[in-house]
Amino acid sequence: LVAAVAAAAVFFIFGIVTVEMPLREVIGKIAVQVVPGSLGASLARAQLGPSLLEEEDIPEPGYTGELFLMVVGALFLSVNIAPTEEVVLIAYKMHPWQEIALVVVTLALMHAFVYEFEFRGSHSPEPGAGFVSIFFRYAIVGYVLVMLVNLYILWTFGRTDGAGFSETLSAVVVLSFPGALGAAVARLIL
């Protein structure tokens, strides 16, 4: 509700929606902004809101919960970037080897943010879990989820219309870089 009211107010102030527009168009524009707005409100509340529990009293989410947090983080960043022309332009200019390098760097950063860097909220690996197990269960699976989320977002904004498989995959890989960072950071913040 807060996101919808904020989006409506900002759109009206900037003239993006007017009283002359059809109601369906106004609702559509606001609906697109409700997702990132509500995610932003949740993240702000998690970081800035009052904490009723001490940090050590907060239970660690399970595997499914961790994956859900990754999807939320990917949505938060990707939905704001996907409508821009830069995603398609960067994807067009990249060579396939650069795209492969971007995937490798993205996976490394996803893993490092959560398990290697000592940020507040960093996760400790399960006892007995090796690097390969953690990397495949979290970084690889998380990256696949980020890619699926980004494919859906690009489709929603019409960025896949008329594009072939190669062009669509390139755009998904480019958008998955910020999406994956959002996924990793969301696991730390939430």
Side-chain angles (χ1 to χ4, degrees):
L1 178 62
V2 170
V5 169
V10 170
F11 281 171
F12 183 73
I13 290 170
F14 285 107
I16 295 169
V17 297
T18 62
V19 291
E20 295 85 28
M21 285 182 156
L23 183 60
R24 179 182 174 142
E25 185 177 352
V26 171
I27 290 172
K29 289 180 185 248
I30 292 171
V32 168
Q33 290 302 311
V34 167
V35 172
S38 61
L39 293 174
S42 296
L43 289 172
R45 176 140 168 69
Q47 282 302 104
L48 306 172
S51 177
L52 301 175
L53 299 171
E54 293 297 320
E55 196 164 308
E56 42 291 329
D57 294 338
I58 299 173
E60 285 282 324
Y63 182 67
T64 307
E66 295 266 349
L67 297 178
F68 176 75
L69 291 177
M70 286 188 213
V71 169
V72 169
L75 272 170
F76 181 68
L77 283 183
S78 296
V79 83
N80 291 298
I81 298 170
T84 67
E85 292 294 323
E86 285 77 12
V87 172
V88 175
L89 180 63
I90 292 169
Y92 175 75
K93 289 184 173 190
M94 288 183 77
H95 188 274
W97 289 109
Q98 292 171 314
E99 293 172 13
I100 292 168
L102 182 60
V103 169
V104 170
V105 167
T106 303
L107 285 167
L109 285 173
M110 279 183 76
H111 181 77
F113 263 72
V114 180
Y115 289 106
E116 302 302 327
F117 300 148
E118 295 295 324
F119 292 127
R120 185 180 141 260
S122 291
H123 295 269
S124 300
E126 298 93 19
F131 171 82
V132 174
S133 171
I134 292 169
F135 186 76
F136 276 91
R137 287 186 305 125
Y138 289 101
I140 299 290
V141 172
Y143 187 72
V144 169
L145 289 174
V146 168
M147 289 182 77
L148 291 172
V149 164
N150 288 331
L151 176 61
Y152 173 74
I153 292 170
L154 288 168
W155 174 79
T156 300
F157 287 112
R159 297 289 183 203
T160 59
D161 296 348
F165 176 78
S166 172
E167 293 86 9
T168 301
L169 182 59
S170 295
V172 168
V173 166
V174 169
L175 186 57
S176 292
F177 178 70
L181 294 180
V185 171
R187 289 179 64 203
L188 298 175
I189 294 173
L190 302 175

